[in-house]
Amino acid sequence: MTSIGGAEMVDWNLAVATATRLVRPGPEVSRDEARAIVAELRRHAKSSEEHVRSFTRMGPDDGSALHDTPVLVVDRPGWVRANVAGFREVLKPLLEKMQDRRPGGPGGAMLGAVGGKVTGVELGMLLSFLASRVLGQYETFAPASRDLPAAPNGGGRLLLVAPNIVHVERELEVDPHDFRLWVCLHEETHRTQFTAVPWLRDHLEGEIQSFLGETEVDPMTLLERFREAASALAGNRPEGEEDDGGRSIVELVQTPRQREILSRLTAVMSLLEGHADFVMDGVGPDVVPTVAEIREKFQQRRARGASRLDQALRKLLGLDAKLRQYRDGERFVRAVVDEVGMDGFNRVWTSPNTLPTKAEIAKPADWVARVHRKAES
């Protein structure tokens, strides 16, 4: 744990304990139902491998990297523990930098100890909010532990959050077996992306660490943004106070250099999310009979949004940007595949230089012109 003089910038254990205590219980299912759901999700995850590889024409030659990446069916507390482990790994350089800026002496250590506890509670509150919303996740930077295995050599793991999948399938009133397979197709696409494109993980990690390395934010300022998010989650905004349209946590820490990096990261994430949406719908008609109904109802659910509180938190945490990534990325992938076919689209995975820019995500023809026509000239 990152600490100086025993004082931690973030009390990670307290974050896990807080989130686990506050997270809402999942839908009611019997013990036998729970076992059946877990077993079915595992089967769907396995069957999705071949569906995705066949449709995308991607995959490691021998399939070994794919098979080394574990699939974990977890509950909401399990999702929290996995993500806290990932946060600790990715944020370590930033927290060390913030530690160095903290005042020295007993006063600084005391401030750090108190701040670490406060931040742990606030992070736990945010994770409890998110833990009931995520259906599945490919954890790219997942440190292995006894309870949470991961692929060797710093590889990832695929998480399927069973109670959330059941909750949404009931809310949408769709065929549960089709919906579970549909979700698995999306997440399996992410696993295929990273196992079939060996340089992708290191490229993303380099971009993220460059972004964090450029951070010049005062620790107390960042803690204040967490405090605002936690207050919103607790419903502590004064009655009648309007949303000030404040910036998200990500936007807060941007320097000019970070804006350049964030633009590239946004483009890559739009590509990855849009590609997964494209694949889940492309495979769907052959293996998910009710895919059209599922997609329509799921899109309506996204479009409806949620309460004002939910919208405020999405803005603060940058989740509204993630929803745009699904939409914009899917449009990019569809347009490119229509223009140059699946093999032509797969040139996107050649190297970091063939990844689309943020501008090209909005104008797919520009990517086709740059990558294809340049190569053919």
Side-chain angles (χ1 to χ4, degrees):
M1 188 170 292
T2 304
S3 63
I4 293 180
E8 303 150 3
M9 291 295 294
V10 180
D11 189 328
W12 298 106
N13 292 332
L14 184 56
V16 171
T18 301
T20 301
R21 185 175 69 254
L22 294 178
V23 70
R24 291 181 295 178
E28 291 187 11
V29 295
S30 68
R31 189 181 295 269
D32 288 342
E33 280 182 295
R35 289 197 186 102
I37 291 165
V38 170
E40 183 175 18
L41 287 171
R42 292 189 184 281
R43 289 196 304 273
H44 285 330
K46 180 64 177 176
S47 67
S48 294
E49 293 178 15
E50 184 55 38
H51 293 315
V52 170
R53 292 182 65 184
S54 176
F55 183 80
T56 63
R57 302 176 194 173
M58 297 173 63
D61 292 337
D62 59 359
S64 58
L66 189 66
H67 297 147
D68 285 342
T69 308
V71 177
L72 307 180
V73 181
V74 298
D75 57 10
R76 290 168 177 175
W79 179 88
V80 168
R81 290 191 293 271
N83 276 266
V84 165
F87 287 158
R88 290 180 66 170
E89 188 74 16
V90 172
L91 294 178
K92 182 183 288 187
L94 174 61
L95 294 179
E96 289 175 346
K97 184 175 182 179
M98 293 169 68
Q99 285 276 10
D100 292 340
R101 295 188 174 191
R102 198 177 63 200
M110 180 64 71
L111 175 65
V114 173
K117 297 291 184 185
V118 171
T119 306
V121 169
E122 291 168 347
L123 179 59
M125 292 176 70
L126 296 179
L127 287 171
S128 72
F129 168 80
L130 296 172
S132 62
R133 285 158 171 77
V134 177
L135 301 182
Q137 175 184 1
Y138 182 79
E139 276 201 294
T140 313
F141 312 107
S145 67
R146 184 180 62 184
D147 298 328
L148 294 166
N153 302 318
R157 58 181 166 233
L158 193 153
L159 306 178
L160 297 169
V161 191
N164 296 349
I165 293 172
V166 173
H167 171 77
V168 174
E169 72 191 27
R170 290 180 179 179
E171 178 187 339
L172 298 182
E173 298 181 334
V174 294
D175 183 282
H177 309 293
D178 284 2
F179 184 75
R180 294 166 195 172
L181 176 54
W182 190 69
V183 171
C184 288
L185 289 169
H186 182 103
E187 302 308 329
E188 181 59 39
T189 302
H190 287 317
R191 187 162 70 139
T192 297
Q193 290 163 347
F194 284 93
T195 54
V197 186
W199 54 264
L200 184 58
R201 180 189 182 276
D202 289 342
H203 173 71
L204 267 182
E205 183 177 24
E207 292 280 59
I208 291 170
Q209 293 305 327
S210 294
F211 181 88
L212 295 176
E214 291 286 330
T215 298
E216 299 296 337
V217 67
D218 175 78
M220 295 309 296
T221 304
L222 188 57
L223 294 182
E224 181 61 29
R225 296 307 286 178
F226 276 114
R227 192 160 295 115
E228 289 179 21
S231 294
L233 184 58
N236 290 337
R237 181 184 297 278
E239 185 175 354
E241 182 179 327
E242 295 295 327
D243 182 1
D244 62 2
R247 294 172 294 173
S248 72
I249 290 173
V250 171
E251 291 171 321
L252 177 75
V253 298
Q254 285 185 60
T255 64
R257 169 67 175 152
Q258 282 180 311
R259 283 193 288 272
E260 295 177 10
I261 300 170
L262 189 61
S263 177
R264 295 196 298 268
L265 280 171
T266 298
V268 174
M269 297 312 296
S270 295
L271 170 69
L272 298 179
E273 296 293 358
H275 184 232
D277 263 14
F278 177 78
V279 171
M280 72 195 299
D281 288 345
V283 173
D286 292 331
V287 299
V288 183
T290 60
V291 64
E293 177 191 358
I294 291 173
R295 168 55 74 186
E296 181 181 0
K297 289 185 175 181
F298 198 75
Q299 290 290 72
Q300 289 173 355
R301 183 176 184 267
R302 279 181 180 171
R304 282 196 308 267
S307 66
R308 181 179 174 186
L309 168 62
D310 196 47
Q311 291 169 353
L313 278 166
R314 285 182 179 278
K315 180 177 179 60
L316 184 60
L317 298 174
L319 298 179
D320 53 345
K322 185 174 179 65
L323 293 178
R324 289 195 299 273
Q325 288 169 5
Y326 286 109
R327 182 191 65 226
D328 297 344
E330 196 274 341
R331 288 175 180 169
F332 170 84
V333 175
R334 186 173 300 280
V336 172
V337 171
D338 286 346
E339 178 73 17
V340 296
M342 186 64 75
D343 290 334
F345 165 79
N346 281 339
R347 288 195 189 180
V348 77
W349 312 116
T350 304
S351 75
N353 293 329
T354 56
L355 291 172
T357 65
K358 189 175 179 180
E360 288 170 341
I361 288 288
K363 295 183 177 180
D366 290 353
W367 180 86
V368 172
R370 177 172 67 87
V371 173
H372 281 266
R373 291 169 193 162
K374 181 178 180 181
E376 294 166 0
S377 62

